[in-house]
Amino acid sequence: MKAYTNARLLMLGLAALANAHTTFTTLYVDRKSQGDGTCVRMPYDGETATFPIKSVVSEDMVCGRNGTEPVPFVCPTKKGSLLTFEFRLWPDAQKPGSIDPGHLGPCAVYLKKVDNMLTDSASGDGWFKIWEDGYNPETQKWCVDTLVEKNGLLSVNLPQGLPAGYYLVRPEILALHWAAHRNDPQYYLGCAQIFLDSDVKGALDVPKEHLATIPGYVDLDTPGLTFDVYQDDIEYYPIPGPKVFTPDNSHLSANVDSKAEPMVQTVGLIPQDCLFKSANWCGKPMAPYSDSALCWEAVKNCYAQSKECKKSSPPVGLKNCDLWSAYCEKLDKPCTQNLFEGPPAFEAKEVVLPPPGELPAMWNNVFEKKEE
Ligand SMILES: *[C@@H]1O[C@H](CO)[C@@H](O)[C@H](O)[C@H]1NC(C)=O
């Protein structure tokens, strides 16, 4: 039996105590928060939202629990945009924290191009990895060490050579604290829905050796999933999944009509008449009214929307739905006082939490490494 002298092993005790894990809640595009849960396929159950994926070969590996269901909004991005993913210990940020520092392991970001964000299956083939960070023997740091330093904020630039279109973006963290000793590698992951506005046209042609099928790209025998993070002097850690793929123009199929109109986003835009947004829900304005029946009709409409806001909300908190409910009360009161002119102006501002720290740049520059 090997004696574990590594100080990391002490952390195992911490890991055992911590019930709180982590979940991806918020997408930032070019350092701007899109709002908690907006464009993110989050698990709906707040009690288990931060739990690891139960089985590394299950459908939940695709985009997490409830992740194969699309959400209504798709966030616009540009060529080379910096995407930042926020991971939280508490999905609604009621307490600070990103992930238990004992949850050592690698991270990666995968993409899948889809024609139709609302109907195409996230599950199956077509996934490829655009970024990864495993273990660096020089600094003796795991990706999770850096992620904790960066307050749970993980950034990646979209490769310049990606053609315009709709993509699922899937950040994953693999925690290995129980991997070797309990056969329990723990994935934490989720997906964001984005549209890439770019002058790069054509169909993306990902070489076979770079493609992954999810679920299926890993199982409990994959070397990176059985790895003992507590051994001394780790020289090399085999990051699971295919090698990073950085598309350039040579990976676009020919026959592109260079005069073709640039592709524009038509699906998943926040509606023009959206009065107020909460995650992937949008509050619609009431039509003007001036009599009793329509006044009460507007109140009913407002509360029905309020109910929908809460029902559709991922577990990021109901701050914004509560602001909408407060507006309904503002509609309600004049009706009771026989003041039937309305609706009153909507004045609340969407609550967007500040990031838990400085938004980092991409810390492991996989694009430069490729050119070395
Ligand atoms: C989310 O997933 C859970 C477990 O997989 C399931 O029981 C639940 O019905 C799903 N919820 C929604 C809103 O799809």
Side-chain angles (χ1 to χ4, degrees), residues 29-30 76-84 156-160 196:
V29 177
D30 296 320
T77 66
K78 295 198 179 76
K79 189 170 169 175
S81 271
L82 182 73
L83 304 185
T84 305
V156 60
N157 285 97
L158 289 172
Q160 299 275 340
L196 169 61

Side-chain angles (χ1 to χ4, degrees), residues 42-45 48 60 65-67 69 311:
M42 275 192 72
Y44 282 101
D45 180 16
T48 58
D60 289 349
R65 280 178 293 277
N66 303 115
E69 284 289 312
K311 199 177 134 211

Side-chain angles (χ1 to χ4, degrees), residues 77-233:
T77 66
K78 295 198 179 76
K79 189 170 169 175
S81 271
L82 182 73
L83 304 185
T84 305
F85 312 100
E86 181 176 341
F87 282 86
R88 291 182 186 158
L89 267 182
W90 298 84
D92 59 358
Q94 58 170 280
K95 291 178 195 164
S98 57
I99 183 170
D100 185 301
H103 279 33
L104 299 171
C107 329
V109 177
Y110 285 78
L111 285 188
K112 176 171 173 160
K113 193 168 190 297
V114 291
D115 292 326
N116 189 323
M117 185 57 81
L118 304 180
T119 57
D120 281 10
S121 174
S123 177
D125 55 16
W127 289 97
F128 58 100
K129 191 197 274 172
I130 59 162
W131 183 87
E132 66 182 13
D133 183 22
Y135 180 76
N136 183 335
E138 279 162 39
T139 58
Q140 300 190 359
K141 272 189 188 174
W142 287 92
C143 178
V144 166
D145 290 315
T146 310
L147 185 68
V148 170
E149 266 173 42
K150 308 283 184 194
N151 305 292
L153 298 163
L154 189 160
S155 292
V156 60
N157 285 97
L158 289 172
Q160 299 275 340
L162 280 177
Y166 297 90
Y167 292 86
L168 283 163
V169 193
R170 177 183 172 279
E172 67 168 32
I173 298 169
L174 170 58
L176 296 168
H177 54 292
W178 291 135
H181 301 272
R182 290 194 180 173
N183 284 325
D184 184 20
Q186 299 183 350
Y187 272 100
Y188 301 90
L189 55 90
C191 290
Q193 304 178 163
I194 61 164
F195 175 79
L196 169 61
D197 176 16
S198 171
D199 57 356
V200 179
K201 294 174 200 164
L204 183 65
D205 191 11
V206 182
K208 233 191 191 149
E209 69 271 21
H210 284 289
L211 282 169
T213 299
I214 308 180
Y217 74 124
V218 292
D219 62 31
L220 283 175
D221 295 325
T222 305
L225 273 69
T226 58
F227 195 86
D228 179 1
V229 290
Y230 304 111
Q231 62 189 292
D232 292 322
D233 303 322

